[in-house]
């Protein structure tokens, strides 16, 4: 059994860890003969890096806000009033996993081009809104499951009835009772959404928006060491998001134990 465990560890290292180590080692080899952070300094000094990174961060924040406003009321209402529709809703939320992003974005362009009834691609703001919808669609499976898992841990019906008996409206119930109780689950979905938006390429490139994903592709086509440094930075940010998910999950467990 121990031999199999070591074999699995070695295989995992060859597939996952060694390529990361090789990429990191290459990103530090810009200066001949010694390891240095020159590639990282070059990347961080590039104004395009800061502009595209901040654009993706802002888009991620808007996407998270839109996803929370869309998913939390939907998941809450399905669990409270329409449990028979759960299989249908879950199937719909899984569709972005089987429909390629390029299909979705070409559908957007076809439906919302400048000659359509809603010409969103005719302005910068409209195209940004369209891109945010695309990001929200890609993140929908993760956001919905995170929120739905959070709703399973609380008694939605009892909380709703108690709030209604005290005179609370639907807005108060959702904003001041349901959302605080599933806040950790919402944060998990938000961190996953942030990681998806940061590395997404297809939609931003086809909608011609200055996002971080297309910038990675442009740098990779024109430079040698900087793309590896960018990949390490992107990988580190993604793992930071995963670490935050673990952190908030542990915080939730400790809070429940304290209760």
């Amino acid at each position: 059994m121990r031999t199999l465990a070591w074999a699995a560890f070695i295989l995992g290292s060859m597939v996952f860890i060694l390529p990361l180590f090789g990429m990191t080692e290459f990103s530090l080899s810009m200066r001949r003969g010694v390891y240095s952070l020159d590639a990282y300094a070059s990347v961080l000094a590039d104004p395009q890096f800061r502009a595209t990174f901040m654009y993706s961060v802002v888009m991620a924040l808007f996407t998270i806000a839109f996803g929370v406003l869309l998913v939390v009321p939907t998941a809450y209402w399905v669990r409270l009033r329409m449990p028979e529709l759960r299989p249908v809703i879950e199937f719909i939320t899984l569709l972005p996993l089987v429909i390629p992003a390029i299909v979705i974005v070409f559908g957007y362009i076809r439906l919302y081009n400048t000659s359509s009834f809603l010409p969103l691609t005719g302005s910068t703001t409209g195209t940004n809104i369209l891109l945010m919808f695309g990001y929200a669609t890609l993140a929908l499976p993760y956001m919905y499951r995170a929120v739905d898992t959070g709703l399973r841990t609380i008694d939605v019906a009892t909380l709703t009835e108690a709030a209604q008996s005290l005179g609370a409206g639907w807005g108060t119930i959702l904003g001041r009772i349901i959302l605080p109780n599933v806040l950790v689950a919402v944060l998990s979905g938000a961190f996953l959404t942030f990681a998806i938006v940061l590395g997404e390429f297809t939609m931003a490139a086809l909608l011609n928006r200055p996002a971080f994903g297309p910038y990675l592709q442009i740098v990779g086509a024109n430079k040698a060491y900087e793309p590896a440094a960018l990949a390490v930075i992107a990988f580190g940010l993604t793992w930071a998001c995963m670490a935050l998910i673990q952190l908030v999950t542990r915080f939730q467990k400790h809070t429940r134990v304290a209760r």
Side-chain angles (χ1 to χ4, degrees), residues 25-84:
E25 192 272 340
F26 183 73
S27 70
L28 298 172
S29 305
M30 188 173 182
R31 190 179 303 177
R32 187 182 296 275
V34 295
Y35 289 128
S36 70
L37 297 175
D38 290 357
Y40 294 89
S42 174
V43 166
L44 295 176
D46 187 357
Q48 281 293 103
F49 167 77
R50 295 193 292 271
T52 56
F53 183 76
M54 287 308 301
Y55 176 85
S56 289
V57 169
V58 172
M59 287 300 298
L61 295 178
F62 277 105
T63 304
I64 289 168
F66 176 73
V68 171
L69 292 175
L70 176 67
V71 170
V72 173
T74 303
Y76 164 73
W77 195 252
V78 168
R79 181 162 287 277
L80 182 67
R81 298 294 188 193
M82 298 182 292
E84 68 279 2

Side-chain angles (χ1 to χ4, degrees), residues 64-80 140 143-148 150-151 154 156 170-171 173-183 185-187 189-190:
I64 289 168
F66 176 73
V68 171
L69 292 175
L70 176 67
V71 170
V72 173
T74 303
Y76 164 73
W77 195 252
V78 168
R79 181 162 287 277
L80 182 67
L140 186 60
M143 178 63 85
Y144 183 83
R145 262 142 197 81
V147 173
D148 190 53
L151 288 173
I154 61 175
V156 173
W170 290 112
I173 294 173
L174 272 172
R176 300 183 63 179
I177 297 173
I178 299 300
L179 186 59
N181 278 286
V182 298
L183 186 58
V186 170
L187 286 176

Side-chain angles (χ1 to χ4, degrees), residues 7 24 31 34 58 68-69 89 94 114 116 120 126-127 130 146 149 176 226 230 235 239 243 248 258:
T24 306
R31 190 179 303 177
V34 295
V58 172
V68 171
L69 292 175
I89 299 298
L94 284 175
T114 52
S116 69
L120 289 177
T127 311
L130 207 55
T149 302
R176 300 183 63 179
E226 285 84 350
L230 275 174
F235 178 77
W239 274 81
V248 296

Side-chain angles (χ1 to χ4, degrees), residues 10-29:
I10 293 171
L11 181 62
S13 299
M14 293 177 65
V15 172
F16 185 68
I17 298 177
L18 286 181
L20 291 175
F21 176 79
M23 180 179 66
T24 306
E25 192 272 340
F26 183 73
S27 70
L28 298 172
S29 305

